Amino acid sequence: AREKFEDLAFDLIRAEEPRAQKVRVSQGDGGIDAHVNDLGDPRGVHIYQCKFFPKGLDDAQKGQVRESFKRCRESPDYK
């Protein structure tokens, strides 16, 4: 179910942003599931992350979202 959710989310992103690129899920992916523009583009990059919580969104899941956003925002690998 998670993979189908991420595929659907990417299809929706791609419909709005045809240049979007999907990132292979792995540890150390910097919290990125998809992006528009190259990560090294000095003008910046649009980052997308998908979170799949089949049992709902409680404080623990909200904390995961906040931590992922923080990791993305503070990454030295892209602007």
Side-chain angles (χ1 to χ4, degrees):
R2 180 181 312 273
E3 185 175 328
K4 289 182 186 232
F5 170 77
E6 290 177 358
D7 288 343
L8 174 61
F10 182 70
D11 288 345
L12 293 170
I13 293 165
R14 193 102 190 240
E16 293 292 318
E17 295 279 4
R19 297 177 301 129
Q21 298 176 39
K22 192 173 188 178
V23 174
R24 186 171 50 90
V25 178
S26 68
Q27 289 287 24
D29 63 9
I32 302 172
D33 289 317
H35 63 89
V36 178
N37 292 345
D38 291 328
L39 296 179
D41 191 325
R43 297 171 296 165
V45 61
H46 294 252
I47 301 291
Y48 296 87
Q49 184 178 63
C50 303
K51 287 290 190 189
F52 180 75
F53 300 119
K55 295 184 180 180
L57 191 65
D58 63 22
D59 288 340
Q61 285 76 27
K62 289 176 185 177
Q64 288 180 37
V65 171
R66 287 184 190 101
E67 186 58 36
S68 293
F69 180 77
K70 180 181 175 186
R71 188 171 61 246
C72 234
R73 184 185 65 220
E74 296 176 354
S75 176
D77 298 327
Y78 48 84
K79 177 179 173 186

